[in-house]
Coordinates of all heavy atoms in Angstrom, one line a residue:
S238 N -45.2 -115.2 192.4 CA -45.1 -114.9 190.9 C -45.7 -113.6 190.6 O -46.6 -113.1 191.3 CB -45.8 -116.0 190.1 OG -47.1 -116.0 190.2
F239 N -45.1 -112.9 189.6 CA -45.6 -111.6 189.2 C -45.9 -111.7 187.7 O -45.1 -112.2 186.9 CB -44.5 -110.5 189.4 CG -44.2 -110.2 190.8 CD1 -43.2 -111.0 191.4 CD2 -44.8 -109.2 191.5 CE1 -42.8 -110.7 192.7 CE2 -44.5 -109.0 192.8 CZ -43.5 -109.7 193.4
L240 N -47.1 -111.3 187.3 CA -47.4 -111.2 185.9 C -47.0 -109.9 185.3 O -47.5 -108.8 185.8 CB -49.0 -111.5 185.7 CG -49.5 -111.3 184.3 CD1 -48.9 -112.4 183.4 CD2 -51.0 -111.3 184.3
L241 N -46.3 -109.9 184.3 CA -45.9 -108.7 183.6 C -46.6 -108.8 182.2 O -46.4 -109.7 181.4 CB -44.4 -108.6 183.4 CG -43.6 -108.4 184.7 CD1 -42.1 -108.3 184.4 CD2 -44.1 -107.1 185.4
N242 N -47.4 -107.8 181.9 CA -48.2 -107.8 180.7 C -48.5 -106.4 180.1 O -49.4 -106.3 179.3 CB -49.5 -108.6 180.9 CG -50.4 -107.9 181.9 OD1 -50.1 -106.9 182.5 ND2 -51.6 -108.5 182.2
H243 N -47.8 -105.4 180.6 CA -47.9 -104.1 180.0 C -46.6 -103.3 180.2 O -46.0 -103.4 181.2 CB -49.1 -103.3 180.8 CG -49.6 -102.1 180.0 ND1 -48.9 -100.9 180.1 CD2 -50.6 -102.0 179.1 CE1 -49.6 -100.1 179.3 NE2 -50.6 -100.7 178.7
P244 N -46.2 -102.6 179.1 CA -44.9 -101.9 179.2 C -44.9 -100.7 180.2 O -43.8 -100.2 180.4 CB -44.7 -101.4 177.8 CG -46.0 -101.4 177.1 CD -46.9 -102.4 177.8
S245 N -46.0 -100.3 180.8 CA -45.9 -99.3 181.8 C -45.8 -99.8 183.2 O -45.8 -99.1 184.2 CB -47.1 -98.4 181.7 OG -48.3 -99.0 182.1
K246 N -45.7 -101.2 183.3 CA -45.5 -101.8 184.7 C -44.2 -102.6 184.6 O -43.9 -103.3 183.6 CB -46.6 -102.7 185.0 CG -47.9 -101.9 185.2 CD -49.0 -102.8 185.7 CE -50.1 -101.8 186.1 NZ -51.4 -102.2 185.9
A247 N -43.4 -102.5 185.7 CA -42.1 -103.2 185.7 C -41.9 -103.9 187.0 O -42.5 -103.4 188.0 CB -41.0 -102.2 185.4
L248 N -41.1 -104.9 187.0 CA -40.8 -105.6 188.3 C -39.3 -105.2 188.7 O -38.4 -105.4 187.9 CB -40.9 -107.1 188.1 CG -40.5 -108.0 189.3 CD1 -41.4 -107.7 190.5 CD2 -40.5 -109.4 188.9
L249 N -39.2 -104.7 189.9 CA -37.9 -104.4 190.4 C -37.5 -105.6 191.3 O -38.1 -106.0 192.2 CB -38.0 -103.1 191.3 CG -36.8 -102.5 191.7 CD1 -35.9 -102.1 190.6 CD2 -37.1 -101.2 192.6
L250 N -36.3 -106.1 190.9 CA -35.8 -107.3 191.6 C -34.5 -107.0 192.3 O -33.5 -106.5 191.7 CB -35.5 -108.5 190.6 CG -36.7 -109.3 190.1 CD1 -36.2 -110.3 189.1 CD2 -37.4 -109.9 191.2
P251 N -34.4 -107.2 193.6 CA -33.2 -107.0 194.3 C -32.2 -108.2 194.2 O -32.7 -109.3 193.7 CB -33.6 -106.9 195.8 CG -34.8 -107.8 195.8 CD -35.5 -107.7 194.5
P252 N -31.0 -108.1 194.6 CA -30.1 -109.2 194.6 C -30.6 -110.2 195.7 O -31.3 -109.8 196.6 CB -28.7 -108.7 194.9 CG -29.0 -107.4 195.5 CD -30.3 -106.9 195.0
G253 N -30.1 -111.4 195.6 CA -30.4 -112.4 196.7 C -31.7 -113.1 196.6 O -32.3 -113.6 197.5
V254 N -32.4 -113.0 195.4 CA -33.7 -113.6 195.1 C -33.5 -114.5 193.9 O -33.0 -114.0 192.9 CB -34.8 -112.6 195.0 CG1 -36.1 -113.2 194.5 CG2 -35.0 -111.7 196.2
W255 N -34.0 -115.7 194.0 CA -33.9 -116.6 192.8 C -35.0 -116.2 191.9 O -36.2 -115.9 192.3 CB -34.2 -118.0 193.3 CG -34.0 -119.1 192.2 CD1 -35.0 -119.6 191.4 CD2 -32.8 -119.7 191.8 NE1 -34.5 -120.5 190.5 CE2 -33.1 -120.6 190.7 CE3 -31.5 -119.5 192.2 CZ2 -32.2 -121.3 190.1 CZ3 -30.5 -120.3 191.5 CH2 -30.9 -121.2 190.5
E256 N -34.7 -116.1 190.6 CA -35.7 -115.7 189.6 C -35.8 -116.6 188.4 O -34.8 -117.2 188.0 CB -35.4 -114.3 189.0 CG -34.0 -114.3 188.3 CD -33.6 -112.9 187.8 OE1 -33.0 -112.2 188.5 OE2 -34.0 -112.6 186.6
E257 N -37.0 -116.8 187.9 CA -37.3 -117.6 186.7 C -38.4 -117.0 185.9 O -39.5 -116.7 186.5 CB -37.6 -119.0 187.1 CG -37.6 -119.9 185.9 CD -37.8 -121.4 186.4 OE1 -37.2 -121.8 187.4 OE2 -38.4 -122.2 185.6
L258 N -38.2 -116.7 184.7 CA -39.3 -116.2 183.8 C -39.9 -117.3 183.0 O -39.2 -118.2 182.4 CB -38.7 -115.2 182.8 CG -38.3 -113.8 183.3 CD1 -37.1 -113.9 184.3 CD2 -37.9 -112.9 182.2
R259 N -41.3 -117.4 183.1 CA -42.0 -118.5 182.5 C -43.3 -118.0 181.8 O -43.7 -116.9 182.0 CB -42.5 -119.4 183.7 CG -41.5 -120.0 184.5 CD -42.1 -120.9 185.6 NE -41.2 -121.4 186.6 CZ -41.6 -121.9 187.7 NH1 -42.9 -122.1 188.0 NH2 -40.7 -122.3 188.6
N260 N -43.9 -118.9 181.1 CA -45.2 -118.7 180.5 C -45.2 -117.5 179.6 O -46.1 -116.7 179.6 CB -46.3 -118.6 181.6 CG -46.4 -119.9 182.4 OD1 -46.2 -121.0 182.0 ND2 -46.6 -119.7 183.7
F261 N -44.2 -117.5 178.7 CA -44.2 -116.4 177.7 C -45.3 -116.5 176.7 O -45.5 -117.6 176.1 CB -42.8 -116.5 176.9 CG -41.7 -116.0 177.8 CD1 -41.0 -117.0 178.5 CD2 -41.2 -114.7 177.8 CE1 -39.9 -116.6 179.3 CE2 -40.2 -114.3 178.6 CZ -39.5 -115.3 179.3
S262 N -46.0 -115.5 176.4 CA -47.0 -115.5 175.4 C -46.3 -115.4 174.0 O -45.1 -115.0 173.9 CB -47.9 -114.3 175.5 OG -47.3 -113.0 175.3
S263 N -47.0 -115.7 173.0 CA -46.4 -115.5 171.6 C -46.0 -114.1 171.4 O -46.8 -113.2 171.7 CB -47.4 -116.0 170.6 OG -46.9 -115.8 169.3
G264 N -44.8 -113.8 170.9 CA -44.4 -112.5 170.6 C -43.9 -111.7 171.9 O -43.7 -110.5 171.7
A265 N -43.8 -112.3 173.0 CA -43.4 -111.6 174.2 C -41.9 -111.2 174.1 O -41.1 -111.9 173.5 CB -43.5 -112.5 175.4
V266 N -41.7 -110.0 174.6 CA -40.4 -109.4 174.7 C -40.1 -108.9 176.1 O -40.9 -108.1 176.6 CB -40.2 -108.2 173.7 CG1 -38.8 -107.6 173.8 CG2 -40.4 -108.7 172.3
A267 N -39.1 -109.4 176.7 CA -38.7 -108.9 178.1 C -37.5 -108.0 177.9 O -36.5 -108.4 177.3 CB -38.3 -110.1 179.0
L268 N -37.6 -106.8 178.5 CA -36.6 -105.8 178.5 C -36.0 -105.8 179.9 O -36.8 -105.7 180.9 CB -37.1 -104.4 178.1 CG -36.1 -103.3 178.4 CD1 -34.9 -103.4 177.5 CD2 -36.9 -101.9 178.2
V269 N -34.7 -106.0 180.1 CA -34.1 -106.0 181.4 C -33.0 -104.9 181.5 O -32.1 -104.8 180.7 CB -33.4 -107.4 181.7 CG1 -32.8 -107.4 183.1 CG2 -34.5 -108.5 181.5
L270 N -33.2 -104.1 182.6 CA -32.2 -103.1 182.9 C -31.5 -103.5 184.1 O -32.1 -103.9 185.1 CB -32.9 -101.7 183.2 CG -33.4 -101.0 181.9 CD1 -34.6 -101.7 181.3 CD2 -33.8 -99.6 182.4
A271 N -30.1 -103.6 184.1 CA -29.3 -104.2 185.1 C -28.4 -103.1 185.7 O -27.9 -102.2 185.0 CB -28.5 -105.4 184.6
S272 N -28.1 -103.3 187.0 CA -27.3 -102.3 187.7 C -25.8 -102.4 187.5 O -25.1 -101.5 187.9 CB -27.6 -102.4 189.2 OG -27.2 -103.6 189.8
I273 N -25.4 -103.6 187.0 CA -23.9 -103.7 186.8 C -23.7 -104.4 185.4 O -24.7 -105.1 185.0 CB -23.2 -104.5 187.9 CG1 -23.8 -106.0 188.0 CG2 -23.3 -103.8 189.2 CD1 -23.0 -106.9 189.0
P274 N -22.6 -104.3 184.8 CA -22.3 -105.1 183.6 C -22.3 -106.6 183.9 O -22.2 -107.0 185.0 CB -20.9 -104.6 183.2 CG -20.6 -103.3 184.0 CD -21.5 -103.4 185.2
Y275 N -22.4 -107.3 182.8 CA -22.3 -108.8 183.0 C -21.1 -109.2 183.7 O -20.0 -108.9 183.4 CB -22.4 -109.5 181.6 CG -22.3 -111.0 181.7 CD1 -23.3 -111.7 182.3 CD2 -21.1 -111.7 181.3 CE1 -23.2 -113.1 182.4 CE2 -21.0 -113.0 181.4 CZ -22.1 -113.8 182.0 OH -22.0 -115.1 182.1
T276 N -21.3 -109.9 184.9 CA -20.2 -110.4 185.7 C -20.5 -111.8 186.1 O -21.4 -112.0 187.0 CB -20.1 -109.5 187.0 OG1 -20.1 -108.1 186.6 CG2 -18.9 -109.8 187.8
P277 N -19.9 -112.8 185.5 CA -20.2 -114.2 185.8 C -20.2 -114.6 187.3 O -21.0 -115.3 187.7 CB -19.2 -115.0 185.0 CG -18.8 -114.1 183.9 CD -18.9 -112.7 184.5
E278 N -19.2 -114.0 188.0 CA -19.1 -114.3 189.4 C -20.3 -113.8 190.3 O -20.5 -114.3 191.4 CB -17.8 -113.6 190.0 CG -16.5 -114.0 189.3 CD -16.3 -113.2 188.0 OE1 -16.7 -112.1 187.9 OE2 -15.8 -113.9 187.0
D279 N -21.1 -112.9 189.7 CA -22.3 -112.4 190.5 C -23.4 -113.4 190.4 O -24.4 -113.3 191.2 CB -22.7 -111.1 189.9 CG -23.8 -110.4 190.7 OD1 -23.5 -110.0 191.9 OD2 -24.9 -110.3 190.2
Y280 N -23.4 -114.4 189.5 CA -24.5 -115.3 189.3 C -24.4 -116.5 190.2 O -23.3 -117.0 190.5 CB -24.5 -115.8 187.9 CG -25.0 -114.9 186.8 CD1 -24.3 -113.8 186.4 CD2 -26.3 -115.1 186.3 CE1 -24.8 -112.9 185.5 CE2 -26.8 -114.2 185.3 CZ -26.0 -113.1 184.9 OH -26.5 -112.3 184.0
I281 N -25.5 -117.0 190.7 CA -25.7 -118.3 191.4 C -26.6 -119.0 190.5 O -27.8 -118.7 190.4 CB -26.2 -118.2 192.8 CG1 -25.3 -117.3 193.7 CG2 -26.3 -119.6 193.4 CD1 -25.8 -116.9 195.0
R282 N -26.2 -120.1 189.8 CA -27.0 -120.8 188.8 C -27.5 -122.1 189.3 O -28.3 -122.8 188.5 CB -26.2 -120.9 187.5 CG -25.8 -119.6 186.9 CD -25.1 -119.8 185.6 NE -24.5 -118.6 185.1 CZ -25.2 -117.7 184.3 NH1 -26.4 -118.0 184.0 NH2 -24.6 -116.6 183.9
D283 N -27.2 -122.5 190.5 CA -27.7 -123.8 191.0 C -28.5 -123.5 192.2 O -28.1 -122.8 193.2 CB -26.5 -124.6 191.4 CG -26.9 -126.0 192.0 OD1 -27.2 -126.9 191.3 OD2 -27.0 -126.0 193.3
F284 N -29.8 -124.0 192.3 CA -30.7 -123.6 193.3 C -30.2 -124.1 194.7 O -30.3 -123.4 195.7 CB -32.1 -124.2 193.1 CG -33.1 -123.7 194.0 CD1 -33.6 -122.4 194.0 CD2 -33.7 -124.5 195.0 CE1 -34.5 -121.9 194.9 CE2 -34.7 -124.0 195.9 CZ -35.0 -122.7 195.8
D285 N -29.6 -125.3 194.8 CA -29.1 -125.7 196.1 C -28.0 -124.8 196.6 O -27.8 -124.6 197.8 CB -28.6 -127.2 195.9 CG -29.7 -128.2 195.8 OD1 -30.9 -127.9 196.3 OD2 -29.5 -129.3 195.2
Q286 N -27.1 -124.4 195.6 CA -26.1 -123.4 196.0 C -26.7 -122.1 196.5 O -26.1 -121.5 197.4 CB -25.1 -123.2 194.9 CG -24.2 -124.4 194.6 CD -23.3 -124.2 193.4 OE1 -23.3 -123.1 192.7 NE2 -22.5 -125.2 193.1
F287 N -27.8 -121.7 195.8 CA -28.5 -120.5 196.3 C -29.0 -120.6 197.7 O -28.8 -119.7 198.5 CB -29.6 -120.2 195.3 CG -30.6 -119.2 195.8 CD1 -30.3 -117.8 195.9 CD2 -31.9 -119.6 196.2 CE1 -31.2 -116.9 196.3 CE2 -32.8 -118.7 196.7 CZ -32.5 -117.4 196.8
L288 N -29.6 -121.8 198.0 CA -30.1 -122.0 199.4 C -28.9 -121.9 200.4 O -29.1 -121.4 201.5 CB -30.8 -123.3 199.4 CG -32.1 -123.4 198.6 CD1 -32.7 -124.8 198.7 CD2 -33.1 -122.4 199.1
Q289 N -27.8 -122.5 200.0 CA -26.6 -122.5 200.9 C -26.1 -121.1 201.1 O -25.8 -120.6 202.2 CB -25.5 -123.4 200.3 CG -24.3 -123.5 201.3 CD -24.7 -124.2 202.6 OE1 -25.5 -125.1 202.7 NE2 -24.1 -123.7 203.7
Y290 N -26.1 -120.3 200.0 CA -25.7 -118.9 200.0 C -26.6 -118.1 201.0 O -26.1 -117.3 201.8 CB -25.7 -118.3 198.6 CG -25.5 -116.8 198.5 CD1 -24.2 -116.3 198.6 CD2 -26.6 -116.0 198.3 CE1 -24.0 -114.9 198.5 CE2 -26.4 -114.6 198.2 CZ -25.1 -114.1 198.3 OH -24.9 -112.7 198.3

Side-chain angles (χ1 to χ4, degrees):
S238 69
F239 295 88
L240 174 65
L241 294 177
N242 62 1
H243 197 277
S245 69
K246 293 187 172 143
L248 177 61
L249 192 56
L250 284 180
V254 174
W255 187 264
E256 65 182 85
E257 190 172 326
L258 285 65
R259 301 179 189 166
N260 301 323
F261 288 89
S262 69
S263 178
V266 177
L268 169 65
V269 182
L270 286 67
S272 64
I273 62 173
Y275 176 71
T276 309
E278 302 79 34
D279 188 66
Y280 283 75
I281 303 171
R282 298 182 187 273
D283 179 84
F284 189 71
D285 290 333
Q286 289 177 358
F287 166 72
L288 292 176
Q289 186 62 38
Y290 171 78

